[in-house]
């Protein structure tokens, strides 16, 4: 330990440079992890908030199910007839509108039956449908200037609804969510501008949300075969959100490459450093230092450099998250940060394994003049 620390002090410039590289790699991995989690939350947080275990789509909707799927009332009734199973209609559509205060917003309209298990409990105000056509909006819309009591006019149809309440910061496809009564959603989805507002509209929905109570078994295969539907878990439905899969693949690929860079950079540095101090290692061997001791010295140096760089990089990543605030989707919980930095440190230390053979290779006879 003493020799390792003395060598770190003597060559502090080189080790500081190496630690800076590790710090930057750790910071980049942490920042990318924050953006990965933040973008994921901004895409599917409204789906994560659904208290459902499965979602039932039409079988012909192979991708982008919330936009392409339509299931009828017969599917809903069939699931409701099953014992120990709760089922509720769910509609999803992205639209836009303008409040009576002149605030223009985009919103992901989630059509729900007032009082059903998928209707959210508001943090402030009243539940969905308290007033005729009353809606509950995400806090993200409240941050943009939408208040309880505002009247919101949907642009395409001119449908006016009242904001009854505000719930958590839920969004879908990077668009803040708003929970609207199912009849309002049906008009948004099937209504035609200029048509008779009293004309009957199809009783169809984007999906049926299903939740089993207790130990009830879900008859997925039987009902899918009978009704021509496709039932998947709620987590599997995240891929139906626009852009979710592509974003995850892109950000994960960047993380993987950064994880691969860490051991290569650290290993290359210590390989060069070991070659440069070959005479010193031979001298230590000639003075009686054992091979395990030389390995221990190198391991301590690598651990100090990698750990210090990882901690500094983590501090930078956390600082970036605080600096960004809510300006962009960024989420880096402490456990995620610690796991990320632990991965960088572990891979960095693994890179030093490349140099271990060279540490014990110098011959003590080199310093005793055997080369002359």
């Amino acid at each position: 330990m003493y020799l390792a620390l003395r060598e770190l002090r003597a060559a502090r410039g080189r080790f500081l440079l190496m630690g800076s590289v590790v710090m930057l790699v750790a910071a980049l991995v942490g920042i990318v992890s924050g953006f990965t989690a933040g973008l994921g939350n901004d895409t599917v947080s409204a789906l994560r908030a659904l208290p459902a275990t499965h979602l039932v789509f039409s079988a012909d909707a192979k991708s982008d199910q919330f936009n392409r799927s339509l299931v009828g009332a017969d599917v809903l009734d069939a699931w409701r007839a099953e014992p120990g199973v709760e089922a509720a209609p769910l509609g999803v559509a992205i639209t836009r509108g303008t409040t009576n205060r002149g605030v223009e917003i985009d919103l992901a309209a989630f059509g729900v039956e007032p009082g059903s298990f998928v209707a959210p409990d508001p943090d402030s105000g009243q539940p969905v449908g308290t007033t005729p056509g009353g809606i509950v909006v995400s806090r993200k819309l409240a941050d943009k200037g939408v208040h309880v009591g505002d009247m919101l006019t949907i642009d395409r149809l001119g449908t006016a609804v009242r904001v009854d309440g505000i719930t958590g910061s839920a969004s879908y496809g990077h668009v803040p969510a708003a929970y609207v009564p199912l009849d309002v959603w049906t008009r948004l989805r099937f209504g035609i501008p200029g048509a008779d507002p009293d004309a009957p509209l199809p009783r169809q929905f984007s999906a049926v949300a299903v939740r089993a109570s207790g130990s009830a078994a879900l008859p997925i295969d039987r009902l899918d075969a009978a009704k021509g539907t496709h039932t998947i878990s709620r987590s599997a439905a995240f891929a139906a959100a626009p852009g979710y899969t592509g974003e995850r693949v892109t950000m994960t690929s960047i993380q993987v490459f950064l994880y691969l860079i860490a051991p290569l950079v650290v290993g290359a540095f210590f390989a060069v450093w070991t070659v440069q101090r070959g005479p010193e290692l031979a001298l230590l061997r000639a003075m009686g230092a054992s091979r395990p001791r030389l390995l221990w010295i190198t391991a301590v140096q690598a651990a100090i450099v990698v750990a210090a760089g990882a901690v500094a990089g983590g501090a930078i990543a956390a600082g970036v998250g605080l600096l960004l605030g809510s300006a962009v989707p960024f989420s880096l919980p402490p456990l995620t940060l610690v796991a990320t930095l632990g991965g960088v440190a572990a891979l960095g230390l693994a890179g030093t394994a490349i140099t271990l053979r060279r540490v014990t290779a110098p011959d003590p006879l080199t310093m005793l003049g055997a080369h002359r």
Side-chain angles (χ1 to χ4, degrees), residues 9-371:
R9 180 180 299 178
R12 54 184 175 273
R14 296 180 183 181
F15 284 106
L16 182 61
L17 178 61
M18 186 59 229
S20 299
V21 174
V22 176
M23 175 188 70
L24 292 177
V25 172
L28 283 174
V29 173
I31 292 171
V32 171
S33 297
F35 280 122
T36 301
L39 289 170
N41 289 336
D42 204 48
T43 304
V44 298
S45 58
L47 299 181
R48 284 199 179 108
L50 287 175
T53 56
H54 291 76
L55 292 169
V56 183
F57 297 103
S58 59
D60 58 346
K62 303 300 183 182
S63 63
D64 197 15
Q65 286 94 333
F66 287 106
N67 285 332
R68 299 182 180 182
S69 170
L70 285 175
V71 295
D74 59 326
V75 176
L76 176 63
D77 295 339
W79 275 100
R80 283 180 168 172
E82 295 295 326
V85 175
E86 292 181 272
L90 178 67
V92 179
I94 296 179
T95 184
R96 61 181 56 193
T98 306
T99 70
N100 57 327
R101 300 172 185 267
V103 179
E104 298 180 353
I105 57 171
D106 294 325
L107 66 153
F110 277 67
V112 298
E113 278 185 344
S116 66
F117 71 94
V118 293
D121 294 325
D123 298 333
S124 60
Q126 301 297 320
V128 176
T130 299
T131 61
I135 70 173
V136 171
V137 300
S138 165
R139 188 159 299 281
K140 291 186 176 182
L141 290 176
D143 294 339
K144 294 182 178 182
V146 179
H147 304 287
V148 174
D150 285 355
M151 295 300 297
L152 174 65
T153 302
I154 306 300
D155 289 350
R156 189 174 72 88
L157 296 175
T159 302
V161 294
R162 184 181 185 275
V163 178
D164 282 345
I166 297 173
T167 188
S169 298
S171 57
Y172 169 79
H174 304 300
V175 180
Y179 300 88
V180 307
L182 194 62
D183 58 339
V184 173
W185 181 87
T186 303
R187 290 201 302 272
L188 298 179
R189 177 66 172 81
F190 300 107
I192 300 175
D196 182 5
D198 297 325
L201 296 173
R203 190 168 177 241
Q204 292 180 315
F205 339 104
S206 300
V208 172
V210 175
R211 181 175 68 178
S213 58
S215 58
L218 295 177
I220 293 176
D221 294 337
R222 174 168 57 82
L223 288 181
D224 278 351
K227 296 297 181 181
T229 55
H230 179 54
T231 303
I232 58 177
S233 66
R234 184 190 59 181
S235 58
F238 294 167
Y244 179 77
T245 301
E247 289 174 356
R248 299 286 293 185
V249 171
T250 300
M251 302 305 288
T252 302
S253 299
I254 296 174
Q255 283 183 287
V256 169
F257 278 109
L258 289 174
Y259 278 124
L260 292 176
I261 288 171
L264 294 177
V265 171
V266 175
F269 171 82
F270 277 97
V272 173
W273 174 245
T274 301
V275 170
Q276 289 179 340
R277 64 190 184 123
E280 289 83 357
L281 292 173
L283 177 60
L284 290 173
R285 289 284 291 123
M287 294 173 63
S290 64
R291 286 187 173 89
R293 185 170 185 180
L294 296 182
L295 292 175
W296 169 251
I297 291 173
T298 303
V300 168
Q301 290 173 344
I304 292 175
V305 172
V306 172
V311 171
I316 292 175
V320 169
L322 293 175
L323 185 64
L324 292 175
S326 59
V328 296
F330 189 91
S331 176
L332 192 59
L335 290 178
T336 301
L337 179 60
V338 170
T340 299
L341 299 182
V344 173
L347 291 172
L349 291 175
T352 64
I354 304 172
T355 69
L356 294 182
R357 185 182 62 83
R358 290 183 175 273
V359 170
T360 59
D363 188 352
L365 294 178
T366 301
M367 298 306 297
L368 296 177
H371 61 290

